[in-house]
Amino acid sequence: MKKFTFLIPVFNDWDSLGILLERIDQEISPFEDIFDVVVLNDGSTIKNSIKAKNFKKIHLVKVLNLKKNLGSQRALAIGLKYLSDAGKETNIILMDADGEDDPNLLKKIIDYSKKFPNKIITVNRTKRNENLIFKFMYETHYLFTLLITGKKVRFGNYSLINSNKLKKLLSSGDLWAAYPAAITNNYSDIEPLFAERKKRDIGKTKMNLFKLLFHSLRIISVFKKRVYFASIIYILFFILIYFIYSNILFLLSIFLIIFFNTIIFTISINNKKEYLDNYFKFIENIDTIH
């Protein structure tokens, strides 16, 4: 018998969370393992509406109420640090609360974790359900990240990681920037699953093109050393081409690369391990619901 802990960030999506918890409880019913839930209330402006329910399999629901909205990535970082400090071994399943992370995959994820106990299980997106413009921008983000860093980051929050692996993940500030990038940058023992991203259960997505752009830059900032190295290669290439063709477009390209690196450097300054070390200052209180 193993222990599993669901880690779910929430910003005002309490109705969606209620649906998700019921679906989780249903999907994990065949297992004899122990299942807890830790909800990360990311500074919601709508009052917590989670009510104690007669779950069949979910043993305990805790809510970590954050003092302010930090965004899902930093909320997850705080949650992972909290579970690491708890000192009890558990398989952590990270999910979004809106239903886009398909609960029907949970049986497969749990089975994979038992088949590959030393692996991190990730759910890689094969299909998205947003509008065409958003899909195009997401693919652009993915390809650009691959081009500039040489790393494939095709998964989001939906994943499983054993708490024994958290020490390495928490040893730098990578996690404060973006969970998927931190996983990719620190581990190679990853076992991917492939599934489409579902539609939200209720309401509209809070993700927009601006948030996607900033999220993309934060992911890239985790690989800043790779970015700097690649940028030097590109700059040297454009300098050589400029001397051959004397075209101002090549100088403009060099300027844009330098400007991009300045942005990445500025963002990376906030990827501080000390935020994780002092994570408890971001928590208002902790409620036990069930």
Side-chain angles (χ1 to χ4, degrees):
M1 182 181 293
K2 294 189 174 183
K3 183 173 181 180
F4 292 82
T5 302
F6 290 88
L7 193 61
I8 308 172
V10 177
F11 178 71
N12 291 338
D13 276 335
W14 300 111
D15 291 339
S16 294
L17 177 65
I19 295 172
L20 178 63
L21 292 180
E22 290 181 1
R23 293 187 65 190
I24 288 174
D25 194 55
Q26 181 181 0
E27 292 297 325
I28 62 178
S29 60
F31 297 98
E32 296 298 326
D33 305 282
I34 300 171
F35 295 91
D36 289 345
V37 175
V38 174
V39 176
L40 301 160
N41 178 10
D42 189 20
S44 294
T45 57
I46 298 175
K47 188 177 179 180
N48 177 352
S49 61
I50 301 178
K51 297 179 181 179
K53 296 182 180 180
N54 294 320
F55 293 117
K56 294 179 180 179
K57 292 298 298 183
I58 294 176
H59 172 253
L60 182 70
V61 179
K62 283 188 176 182
V63 181
L64 271 62
N65 297 296
L66 306 189
K67 293 180 180 179
K68 61 180 181 179
N69 179 249
L70 297 173
S72 65
Q73 299 303 296
R74 290 176 176 176
L76 285 172
I78 290 171
L80 289 169
K81 177 63 174 175
Y82 170 79
L83 291 175
S84 176
D85 281 2
K88 296 180 180 179
E89 182 180 357
T90 182
N91 292 288
I92 305 165
I93 300 176
L94 295 84
M95 297 182 72
D96 291 332
D98 53 20
E100 292 184 1
D101 291 338
D102 188 1
N104 289 333
L105 285 173
L106 287 174
K107 292 178 183 177
K108 195 170 185 178
I109 291 172
I110 293 169
D111 285 338
Y112 262 51
S113 72
K114 294 179 179 181
K115 183 179 179 181
F116 306 104
N118 297 316
K119 297 269 191 176
I120 297 170
I121 313 299
T122 62
V123 179
N124 294 31
R125 283 82 176 263
T126 58
K127 181 182 177 182
R128 302 183 69 92
N129 287 289
E130 294 92 352
N131 61 57
L132 187 61
I133 294 177
F134 192 91
K135 287 180 181 179
F136 173 78
M137 293 303 296
Y138 181 85
E139 291 302 321
T140 301
H141 139 72
Y142 167 72
L143 292 174
F144 181 74
T145 302
L146 177 61
L147 177 66
I148 200 70
T149 68
K151 291 286 188 176
K152 294 182 180 180
V153 185
R154 197 65 178 180
F155 61 95
N157 298 334
Y158 202 9
S159 59
L160 180 148
I161 181 171
N162 189 280
S163 57
N164 289 337
K165 288 184 173 290
L166 292 181
K167 184 176 180 180
K168 182 178 181 181
L169 192 62
L170 295 166
S171 64
S172 69
D174 291 352
L175 194 57
W176 198 248
Y179 169 78
I183 291 293
T184 304
N185 196 39
N186 287 280
Y187 302 99
S188 58
D189 50 346
I190 298 172
E191 186 67 28
L193 293 176
F194 298 90
E196 69 175 274
R197 188 169 177 82
K198 298 294 185 178
K199 292 183 179 179
R200 288 177 58 91
D201 288 324
I202 298 174
K204 296 181 180 180
T205 180
K206 297 178 178 65
M207 178 62 78
N208 55 42
L209 295 180
F210 174 77
K211 289 182 179 179
L212 176 61
L213 174 62
F214 188 62
H215 180 60
S216 178
L217 291 172
R218 281 170 60 172
I219 286 177
I220 292 172
S221 73
V222 173
F223 309 105
K224 62 181 181 180
K225 292 181 180 179
R226 285 174 169 264
V227 174
Y228 299 156
F229 179 78
S231 296
I232 291 172
I233 300 299
Y234 286 129
I235 288 173
L236 292 175
F237 173 76
F238 283 125
I239 289 175
L240 176 63
I241 297 299
Y242 174 74
F243 281 129
I244 296 175
Y245 295 102
S246 299
N247 191 318
I248 196 172
L249 289 177
F250 298 115
L251 287 180
L252 178 60
S253 298
I254 293 171
F255 170 78
L256 290 175
I257 292 172
I258 294 173
F259 178 69
F260 174 75
N261 276 266
T262 302
I263 293 175
I264 295 301
F265 175 76
T266 302
I267 292 174
S268 70
I269 291 174
N270 287 316
N271 302 344
K272 295 180 179 179
K273 181 177 177 294
E274 65 188 66
Y275 292 136
L276 295 171
D277 294 337
N278 302 306
Y279 75 100
F280 219 82
K281 70 179 183 181
F282 296 105
I283 300 175
E284 183 74 36
N285 54 58
I286 301 174
D287 296 326
T288 300
I289 304 298
H290 174 75

